[in-house]
Amino acid sequence: MIGRIGIRPNFWLFPVSLIVILGLASVSPAGLPGAHVAAARPPVQLSSFDIASAVPRPVEETTALSVQRDYAHAWQSLISALESNRADLLNEDFTGGARQQWAEAISLQQRNRLSRRIEDHGHHVRVTFYSPDGSAMEATDTADFDIQYYEGTRILFSEHVRTRYLVLLTPGENSWKLRILQEVPAS
Amino acid sequence: MFPLRRSLILGIVCATVLTCAAQVRVPATVQAGSGTTVQASGSGSTMLYLFGPGGALKREVQRGNIEISGQELKVAGRYTVIVDGDSASFFVTAAPLQKIAFVAHPSRVPAAASRAVQGSAFLFDGFQNLVLTPIPVTFRLAVEGDNGEERRTSSRDGVAWVQLNSGRRSGPAHFVVTSGAIQVRRIVQQVAADPCSIRMSALRAPDGNILVETAPVQDCSGNAVPDGTIVTFTSVDAAGRSAVDARIKRGIARAELPASRSATLSVAAGVVLGNEIHWGGGQ
């Protein structure tokens, strides 16, 4: 009996299945815990990375390339972490206060069944300080985002923001890590 | 009569079918760790959501004045409040300076070296937020009992930095950064620089060898060059060239060169050459 039911073509089920599949596909990723599509997103782009005004030490070209790569990756991690509520995604790119504060934010999101989906439209980064011993780099980042705030699968609010961050990066073993990521009012 | 009926109908529709937007008002900025009040128009209970860099809050509240505690606003940055589909944003700014993270470099530096000591100070409040308002910061580098060097500057975006000359005296220098009541100290060991000049004298040893000895070896500021610094004594005579490396011990280097009737003796430490002695032909 079971075999027959499994083999018998139930044509009336196809439209229903199609609707279900399309419906699932249109559901926001935040509605599918653990199945977020952040990995499928285009990588975060730095629209510009200006090292001309770095003081007191100029930023070497190779260092600039590393920082660009690592900073963009850090944003990628943060966006994925906030969307999928996985603080462990921060471990590779964040350290110190930044890791602690965002991990706490993610923990509270998870506890309250909340999430944030951020669509990144690019960053304009300007390095303002590079310490003489090379142990810290500060930059400002003007970024454009579309942010959707979710409770479960329900969108609570969407907004487009152009925002400015103050960033402090320090070199880790193999990469630059974000130590401070502080959003500041636009000057 | 009609407006009342319309309000009643609207109220029933709002309550049953639609989510009626409440108008949300927030202050533009709030100091980290201080609470604030969110104003949501209307009455009755609703759900408040707060998204920020340090948290995500969901709470059933009564419309009107809604209190957000300082504990929930510790991290500086932009916070978005959502009530009934309406939202407002505000910034949490850093609280007053509480802590300075001070990076001094290097830990050991030659005396009287130009712009050789660097310090970077990162100014934080009590919640690990960078204090972004410009704050006067003073850096001071001095060996005890010495005037040392002091530089006043102002922080920018939470950072202040300095490059100072090392002092003329060797010894542990206190590198101190001060801002308001907060002071952080690091020790930078100032050591004698390269020898300034080396004076050598020579004597004949009982076995005929040549005993050579330096006067106390000092840098150009008069600091004794550290013990262990290598001094090379060289003798050139008809038989060839002999060189002996000796370490400075208690400020003086000594060595014994092979006996010779006539030789030219020289002394050097690093790139610094000392005096020459013509041995045997009259010194």
Side-chain angles (χ1 to χ4, degrees), chain A residues 46 49 62-72 137 169 176:
Chain A
L46 303 188
F49 191 84
T62 47
T63 305
L65 288 171
S66 306
V67 173
Q68 283 179 72
R69 179 198 61 207
D70 298 337
Y71 183 61
M137 184 181 287
L169 295 133
W176 286 80

Side-chain angles (χ1 to χ4, degrees), chain A residues 44-120:
Chain A
V44 168
Q45 297 289 330
L46 303 188
S47 309
S48 66
F49 191 84
D50 177 11
I51 55 172
S53 44
V55 288
R57 174 177 165 172
V59 181
E60 300 84 2
E61 203 173 315
T62 47
T63 305
L65 288 171
S66 306
V67 173
Q68 283 179 72
R69 179 198 61 207
D70 298 337
Y71 183 61
H73 195 263
W75 265 105
Q76 194 84 39
S77 304
L78 180 61
I79 289 169
S80 301
L82 284 170
E83 187 174 333
S84 57
N85 282 337
R86 284 182 54 196
D88 62 297
L89 296 178
L90 303 174
N91 293 346
E92 194 184 333
D93 304 294
F94 285 75
T95 189
R99 184 166 69 176
Q100 191 183 326
Q101 83 179 53
W102 286 108
E104 199 172 325
I106 289 164
S107 162
L108 288 168
Q109 280 193 174
Q110 200 166 28
R111 192 185 307 165
N112 292 316
R113 286 190 65 247
L114 302 171
S115 63
R116 275 172 259 198
R117 186 170 197 267
I118 299 173
E119 198 174 322
D120 192 308

Side-chain angles (χ1 to χ4, degrees), chain B residues 52-85:
Chain B
L57 175 73
K58 174 184 152 190
R59 185 191 300 159
E60 192 172 348
V61 293
Q62 294 295 316
R63 290 185 181 85
N65 290 338
I66 304 160
E67 297 296 325
I68 310 275
S69 76
Q71 274 299 104
E72 290 156 336
L73 301 173
K74 290 186 296 186
V75 180
R78 198 171 63 92
Y79 286 71
T80 299
V81 181
I82 304 167
V83 178
D84 294 343

Side-chain angles (χ1 to χ4, degrees), chain B residues 112-126:
Chain B
S114 175
R115 296 167 68 83
V117 181
Q118 296 120 17
S120 306
F122 301 90
L123 313 183
F124 292 96
D125 66 5

Side-chain angles (χ1 to χ4, degrees), chain A residues 14-44:
Chain A
F14 287 164
V16 175
S17 305
L18 193 63
I19 288 164
V20 169
I21 289 164
L22 289 174
L24 278 175
S26 67
V27 165
S28 132
L32 303 170
H36 292 71
V37 291
R41 292 230 187 114
V44 168

